Amino acid sequence: FSSISLKGENLSNAGEMWKSYTEGPGTTINKKGDTIQVYKNSAAYTQFETFDKHFDSEIKKLLDFITPSANKYVEKLGYNINFELNYKKATFIKRDKTYDYTPFAIELVIKKYNGNSVDIERPQTFLNEAKMSAIATAIRLSVIDFRINSIAEDALKVLILDDLMISLDMSNREKLTGLLLTEYGSKYQLIFMTHDINLYTFLKKKINKNSWITKEMYIG
């Protein structure tokens, strides 16, 4: 995420931001010598409110990018599925001595399936593993696109795929491999890793041998 200052630290990692959110605005000592949460009229509390809005805004910005982008990837993988990522922001309550929060939630909801309007809030009970993997992969690729396009345009473009297709059948391996080679082959250095000799052989047949290096490693 774009960076923000909180408690003397410059935060840009989403995980670090969330950890800071769970810790709250901080504590102070009152006139009685008791440790309490910082006062609402304090600079620390105002800074935390700004941080809360920033964190919320950054998640929304990410999801606004992911949803249309990932749906396009799902379509390119050959599935007629349209989904939404519904977001519920985190909330917090600061009392005199305690700080409580409710975590944010991102819910995957299937809105269209094979051209029909649906409203499936538990897609894991409706879609098979291949379709769920397609959606998960599409979301992950969209996150990568978001980082490269929006945050780190000069980043080293290396995509390491560790047994990404291990649970997919041959038809879905064909679709995903074609997408990766077409969409990313010219823009990224791709590194496929697998412990499955059949998947290794499949990939070796699909790639252009003139521009790839293949390695096999064994124990014994």
Side-chain angles (χ1 to χ4, degrees):
F1 289 164
S2 59
S3 62
I4 188 171
S5 179
L6 182 70
K7 300 176 186 175
E9 289 187 75
N10 199 40
L11 302 176
S12 60
N13 177 274
E16 292 174 354
M17 285 186 181
W18 177 242
K19 184 174 183 294
S20 294
Y21 192 101
T22 64
E23 294 169 352
T27 59
T28 187
I29 306 295
N30 66 10
K31 293 179 179 179
K32 297 179 180 179
D34 298 326
T35 300
I36 62 170
Q37 295 292 312
V38 296
Y39 296 104
K40 283 192 173 183
N41 60 355
S42 66
Y45 187 81
T46 300
Q47 187 184 50
F48 190 78
E49 285 186 310
T50 301
F51 164 74
D52 172 43
K53 292 175 182 176
H54 176 81
F55 184 70
D56 178 52
S57 173
E58 291 295 295
I59 292 181
K60 287 178 180 175
K61 189 194 305 180
L62 175 61
L63 296 182
D64 285 345
F65 180 92
I66 287 176
T67 302
S69 173
N71 274 295
K72 289 179 182 176
Y73 276 127
V74 170
E75 184 179 349
K76 289 177 181 179
L77 287 169
Y79 295 108
N80 190 359
I81 302 172
N82 185 272
F83 67 88
E84 292 180 356
L85 295 173
N86 295 337
Y87 167 60
K88 296 179 181 177
K89 79 175 297 294
T91 57
F92 68 90
I93 298 175
K94 184 201 77 68
R95 299 181 178 88
D96 286 345
K97 293 187 177 182
T98 60
Y99 169 81
D100 295 309
Y101 66 92
T102 302
F104 67 91
I106 301 172
E107 298 173 346
L108 174 66
V109 180
I110 306 299
K111 302 303 290 184
K112 283 187 178 181
Y113 186 78
N114 289 339
N116 299 314
S117 295
V118 293
D119 195 22
I120 300 167
E121 297 181 355
R122 291 180 57 80
Q124 67 272 26
T125 65
F126 180 77
L127 302 177
N128 62 24
E129 186 177 3
K131 293 183 176 72
M132 286 297 294
S133 294
I135 291 174
T137 302
I139 291 173
R140 188 71 187 97
L141 293 176
S142 296
V143 171
I144 293 169
D145 289 345
F146 178 81
R147 293 187 66 183
I148 296 297
N149 295 333
S150 305
I151 300 173
E153 295 179 7
D154 59 344
L156 185 64
K157 295 181 180 179
V158 178
L159 196 56
I160 300 174
L161 306 156
D162 185 13
D163 265 337
L164 177 65
M165 295 175 278
I166 198 71
S167 63
L168 301 181
D169 58 24
M170 191 58 67
S171 173
N172 286 290
R173 286 182 180 184
E174 288 272 4
K175 293 174 184 176
L176 183 52
T177 303
L179 173 66
L180 291 169
L181 294 177
T182 302
E183 298 280 335
Y184 291 88
S186 62
K187 297 182 290 186
Y188 287 74
Q189 178 176 347
L190 299 180
I191 300 175
F192 289 99
M193 301 173 66
T194 180
H195 71 277
D196 183 342
I197 188 63
N198 294 317
L199 179 55
Y200 171 80
T201 304
F202 165 78
L203 289 168
K204 195 172 180 179
K205 290 179 180 178
K206 297 291 291 184
I207 61 177
N208 180 350
K209 294 180 176 59
N210 295 326
S211 59
W212 285 75
I213 297 172
T214 58
K215 297 287 184 182
E216 295 181 67
M217 293 182 285
Y218 298 90
I219 294 177

